[in-house]
């Protein structure tokens, strides 16, 4: 669809009162802020008080109603914020065209030209004729189909005022035409920012809200988005945010919650606020799709939303949503405890088969939560983050492609991990916070890759590797934190920690092809450079690697009377007192800065 022909006149453009548009935007901003304050009071005061003091069916019903009211206020906050930004952006763009017009009119006045209502410009006599030297007559310049292009003058010298008048006419016309397009664009956006009647905000309304936000982003592209410092360091981003006015911050949160919520270096409370709003927009966006991938991600997002709304048990660390998105296999970064105020911050990087789905929302978030709770028994100033900020390999791809089982995803993920850790270092309020990075499975390879970028992992003091198939280096000292600050847990029955090296796998496969199992086994023995060779380098649990190995439960056998089990690969974070919790306790000790109390284990 194209914009209609311009109906705006230059006089109307000149007289547009942009300040009144900004005043209207301020009014919508106040409405948005009131809705946000109401939602905040419901979530932080009323719901918390009900959970702590009231129990039973009546209390549950009240909680349900309050959550519904909070959700409605969240919608009001989002939509009013979008209207405010649309109006401010309209005023901003109109003012730019007013400036263009004003300068053209000032030039006309200085030259004693007359600008008519239709945009034509009359100019006086000037110059001199080639034959008699008499001044050339004046005339009127009108807008041409190609501004700045004039017919040849032949043998007659042109009036020098003609070109100047034509330039002014073209500038006036361009300003009016651009302003008309701006007016048309924002009219369409503002007309669609309407809510359904009634007090209920159904799921389909959030689907519409996602479209509303996208429309305002497109319309306001030159007003806000270009100013977001995507290429800056996390420290520079924090400084940028701190120097914005309250109104600017509110607009960014309303229109670009996805950008601000996922920007490393922005304070955690701000990211959490932005991402809770973005979570609703993502849910609304995916609810409009019926493909399997969207439905899988939708299940994960809904579970995260449920946990955020529930708030956990009394005394549990508060959840902070530090990142969420649907690119790649999905993105989600959830902290338990505020990483900006905690002295101890641990970032848990999951591995193989992790994606934004129900399993991540239930299983991986529980690992981070349990680790935070365990560490907080040792030091209450602790936060643990579940970081799904990269595309971990998935089992079908892993089995079908050696490329996926390689280093590329880890290296790309390692770069993203470093950005996140740089953000944690930039926003933490403590002078010297204790930062731990935990890599599980392929996540340990991602952690290893992160250490190899210049400067290593920003701020990292300790590294924990569990269920690791290797980290890409052969010595703990190469991970940048000192060998005595690298801690390894490897269950005896965890087959991932015993994967053969790539060389062994390839030569063994060749042996099977040319001479059967015996030949393959013989070639495998020839290629074996020791028991400490794994898929991604030396076994982190070996003496040669040089890390500190801590005790873990040996885990269920791969094959037993109960069938095939890979549970040994995922039991490192178990906090159930009915099961062996030595691994979880040892991880909590490292996170809390009490690694001197670890229970160690012999090297492989």
């Amino acid at each position: 669809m194209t914009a209609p022909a311009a109906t705006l006149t230059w006089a109307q453009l000149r007289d547009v009162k942009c300040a009144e548009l900004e005043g209207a935007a301020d009014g919508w901003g106040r409405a948005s802020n009131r809705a946000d304050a109401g939602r905040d009071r419901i979530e932080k005061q009323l719901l918390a008080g009900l959970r702590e003091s009231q129990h039973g069916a009546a209390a549950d019903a009240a909680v349900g109603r309050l959550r519904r009211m909070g959700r409605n206020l969240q919608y009001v906050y989002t939509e009013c914020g979008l209207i405010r930004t649309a109006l401010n952006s309209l005023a901003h763009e109109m003012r730019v065209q007013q400036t263009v017009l004003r300068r053209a009119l000032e030039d006309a006045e200085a030259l004693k030209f007359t600008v008519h209502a239709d945009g034509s410009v009359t100019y006086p006599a000037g110059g001199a004729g080639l034959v008699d030297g008499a001044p050339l007559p004046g005339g009127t310049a009108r807008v041409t189909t190609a501004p700045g292009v004039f017919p040849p003058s032949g043998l007659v010298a042109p009036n020098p005022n003609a070109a100047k008048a034509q330039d002014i006419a073209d500038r006036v016309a361009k300003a009016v035409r651009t302003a008309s397009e701006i007016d048309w664009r924002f009219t369409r956006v503002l007309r669609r920012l309407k809510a359904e009647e009634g007090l209920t905000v159904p799921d389909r309304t959030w689907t519409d809200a996602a479209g509303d936000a996208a429309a305002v982003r497109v319309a306001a592209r030159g007003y806000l988005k270009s100013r977001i410092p995507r290429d800056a360091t996390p420290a520079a981003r924090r400084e940028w945010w701190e120097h914005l006015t309250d109104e600017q911050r509110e607009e960014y949160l309303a229109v670009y919650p996805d950008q601000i919520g996922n920007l490393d270096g922005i304070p955690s409370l701000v990211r959490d606020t932005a991402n809770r709003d973005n979570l609703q927009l993502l849910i609304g966006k995916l609810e409009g799709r019926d493909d399997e991938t969207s439905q899988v991600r939708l299940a994960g997002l809904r579970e995260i939303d449920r946990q955020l709304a529930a708030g956990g048990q009394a005394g549990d660390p508060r959840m902070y949503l530090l990142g969420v998105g649907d690119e790649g296999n999905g993105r989600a970064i959830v902290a338990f405890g505020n990483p900006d105020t905690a002295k101890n911050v641990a970032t848990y990087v999951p591995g193989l088969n992790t994606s934004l789905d129900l399993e991540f929302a239930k299983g991986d978030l529980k690992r981070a939560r349990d680790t935070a709770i365990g560490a907080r028994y040792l030091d209450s100033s602790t936060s643990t983050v579940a970081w799904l900020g990269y595309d971990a390999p998935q089992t079908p791809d892993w089995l079908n492609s050696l490329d996926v089982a390689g280093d590329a995803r880890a290296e790309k993920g390692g770069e993203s991990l470093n950005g996140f850790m740089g953000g944690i270092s930039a926003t933490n309020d403590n002078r010297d916070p204790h930062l731990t990075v935990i890599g599980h499975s392929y996540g340990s390879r991602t952690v290893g890759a992160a250490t190899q970028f210049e400067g290593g992992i920003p701020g990292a003091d300790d590294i924990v590797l569990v269920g690791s198939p290797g980290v890409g280096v052969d010595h703990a000292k190469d991970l940048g934190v000192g060998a005595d600050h690298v801690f390894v847990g490897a269950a005896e029955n965890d087959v991932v920690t015993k994967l053969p090296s790539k060389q062994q796998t390839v030569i063994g496969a060749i042996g099977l092809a040319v001479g059967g199992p015996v030949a393959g086994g013989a070639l495998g023995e020839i290629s074996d450079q020791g028991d400490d060779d794994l898929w991604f380098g030396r076994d982190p649990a070996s003496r040669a690697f040089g890390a500190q190995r801590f005790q873990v439960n040996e885990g269920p056998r791969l094959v037993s009377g109960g069938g095939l089990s890979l549970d040994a690969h995922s039991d490192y974070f178990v906090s159930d007192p009915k099961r062996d919790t030595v691994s979880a306790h040892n991880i909590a000790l490292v996170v809390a800065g009490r690694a001197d109390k670890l229970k160690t284990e012999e090297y492989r």
Side-chain angles (χ1 to χ4, degrees), residues 285-301:
K285 174 183 173 182
L286 294 177
E287 281 175 339
R289 302 176 180 176
D290 57 5
D291 61 283
E292 183 179 358
T293 298
S294 295
Q295 292 303 307
V296 167
R297 290 181 188 168
L298 184 57
L301 291 172

Side-chain angles (χ1 to χ4, degrees), residues 16 67 114 156 203 238 267 335 404 435 446 562:
V16 168
R67 285 179 179 166
T114 301
V156 180
D203 290 340
R238 178 178 182 174
V404 178
L435 305 185
T446 302

Side-chain angles (χ1 to χ4, degrees), residues 513-560:
V514 301
V518 175
L523 286 172
E525 290 178 9
I526 293 173
S527 69
D528 190 0
Q529 301 171 6
D531 292 336
D532 52 10
D533 298 318
L534 294 183
W535 188 267
F536 293 115
R538 185 163 288 162
D539 181 359
S542 68
R543 182 179 299 277
F545 188 78
Q548 295 195 55
R549 186 183 183 192
F550 57 83
Q551 288 184 15
V552 301
N553 181 20
E554 66 179 14
R557 291 181 176 275
L558 178 64
V559 180
S560 65

Side-chain angles (χ1 to χ4, degrees), residues 66-77:
L66 283 172
R67 285 179 179 166
R68 188 162 54 251
M69 182 182 296
R71 182 177 170 87
N72 292 354
L73 288 172
Q74 184 174 15
Y75 175 74
V76 172
Y77 159 78

Side-chain angles (χ1 to χ4, degrees), residues 238-298:
R238 178 178 182 174
E239 185 176 358
W240 167 77
W241 183 260
E242 288 177 345
H243 285 83
L244 294 177
T245 65
D246 288 342
E247 181 179 347
Q248 288 171 325
R249 292 175 184 171
E250 290 162 4
E251 287 196 83
Y252 275 112
L253 288 172
V255 183
Y256 291 106
D258 57 331
Q259 302 280 335
I260 301 304
N262 289 285
L263 198 62
D264 298 321
I266 300 299
S268 294
L269 279 171
V270 176
R271 292 181 71 165
D272 178 60
T273 298
N275 284 314
R276 287 178 187 242
D277 292 332
N278 189 38
L279 176 63
Q280 300 304 322
L281 295 175
L282 281 172
I283 289 174
K285 174 183 173 182
L286 294 177
E287 281 175 339
R289 302 176 180 176
D290 57 5
D291 61 283
E292 183 179 358
T293 298
S294 295
Q295 292 303 307
V296 167
R297 290 181 188 168
L298 184 57

Side-chain angles (χ1 to χ4, degrees), residues 405-483:
D407 301 297
R409 296 195 181 201
E411 290 169 357
K412 187 174 181 180
E415 185 175 10
S416 298
L417 176 61
N418 279 356
F420 176 75
M421 293 300 295
I424 293 295
S425 297
T427 58
N428 191 281
D429 296 334
N430 295 280
R431 178 173 298 178
D432 186 23
H434 172 241
L435 305 185
T436 304
V437 183
I438 305 169
H440 174 240
S441 187
Y442 188 87
S444 68
R445 177 64 188 95
T446 302
V447 171
T451 68
Q452 300 308 294
F453 288 92
E454 184 177 357
I457 301 177
D461 298 291
D462 293 315
I463 291 176
V464 177
L465 309 169
V466 288
S468 176
V471 296
V473 300
D474 288 334
H475 303 282
K477 60 182 178 61
D478 296 329
L479 295 178
V481 295

